[in-house]
Amino acid sequence: MPQEGEQALPLVRSLNSRIPIKAVFCNHSPRVVRPLWIDFSGQPKAYCDIQPGRGLPMNTFIGHPWMFRDAETDEPLKVNCKELFLPKPAEDGNATVANITLPVYSLKDRALQVIRRLVHPEDYRRLEIARCLHEELEDQPSVLKDLRRMNQRVEQHLLERIQGQEE
């Protein structure tokens, strides 16, 4: 438990497992992908970008989470249809595969992405669109924001499980 005044470690972070794993990060998206290892204090650490259609062999460890982002826009990408890749041993003894793909975006989210690519941020407020969309355009994608959201979800899930056991 953290002492008074100390910050608790985030729940989404690498654990010191010391069990090595060979993985291959396969970019099946049309975007340049930036792999991010979530370190022992819950901070993302960028690794070399992966070009579309390419793979990157990676030595990692069980209990070390990875996220994948669009290298240009910082938009989150999916890995094996999830937000996080948590390596585990492959059943056949080969490398564990992380298939990176685009998520299915809502029409609104896709429109916001296109506008962010075409319009300079200082011009967002000049667009004749609903005010709430101005605010959403200004709310740029952020890996730290996504990690906070994931930590909140994990914490909520743990609290619900604890409450369920007490009943």
Side-chain angles (χ1 to χ4, degrees), residues 79-116:
V79 55
N80 298 341
C81 300
K82 298 184 179 187
E83 292 180 286
L84 278 177
F85 174 64
L86 201 55
K88 29 185 181 203
E91 292 179 18
D92 56 9
N94 291 326
T96 300
V97 177
N99 290 307
I100 305 155
T101 57
L102 289 176
V104 177
Y105 295 109
S106 70
L107 181 58
K108 180 179 95 174
D109 287 340
R110 186 65 188 122
L112 291 170
Q113 288 174 353
V114 170
I115 292 168
R116 283 188 191 113

Side-chain angles (χ1 to χ4, degrees), residues 95-167:
T96 300
V97 177
N99 290 307
I100 305 155
T101 57
L102 289 176
V104 177
Y105 295 109
S106 70
L107 181 58
K108 180 179 95 174
D109 287 340
R110 186 65 188 122
L112 291 170
Q113 288 174 353
V114 170
I115 292 168
R116 283 188 191 113
R117 284 180 190 247
L118 298 175
V119 178
H120 293 287
E122 60 271 13
D123 295 329
Y124 291 163
R125 296 280 172 171
R126 292 187 183 128
L127 296 172
E128 293 183 22
I129 56 176
R131 190 172 315 153
C132 64
L133 292 176
H134 291 145
E135 293 163 3
E136 288 190 50
L137 280 169
E138 292 166 347
D139 186 22
Q140 297 287 327
S142 161
V143 67
L144 295 176
K145 192 169 33 178
D146 288 348
L147 277 169
R148 279 192 299 273
R149 180 183 44 76
M150 283 183 220
N151 276 300
Q152 289 169 346
R153 260 198 346 241
V154 170
E155 185 175 14
Q156 182 63 37
H157 178 73
L158 291 172
L159 289 172
E160 288 169 3
R161 289 187 68 182
I162 289 169
Q163 290 171 346
Q165 290 176 349
E166 289 175 350
E167 294 173 353

Side-chain angles (χ1 to χ4, degrees), residues 2-73:
Q3 300 298 317
E4 191 174 324
E6 282 185 6
Q7 195 94 26
L9 283 173
L11 296 169
V12 178
R13 67 178 190 278
S14 285
L15 302 176
N16 195 3
S17 73
R18 296 190 178 150
I19 302 170
I21 291 290
K22 290 189 184 304
V24 179
F25 300 158
C26 299
N27 182 2
H28 295 285
S29 82
R31 314 273 177 91
V32 175
V33 170
R34 179 156 299 140
L36 298 165
W37 169 60
I38 312 306
D39 73 10
F40 299 102
S41 61
Q43 295 300 306
K45 303 293 180 201
Y47 276 66
C48 45
D49 293 348
I50 309 168
Q51 296 300 314
R54 303 298 299 256
L56 176 68
M58 183 61 62
N59 293 315
T60 186
F61 294 87
I62 290 177
H64 285 212
W66 291 81
M67 294 174 73
F68 299 88
R69 310 293 283 203
D70 181 314
E72 182 183 338
T73 65

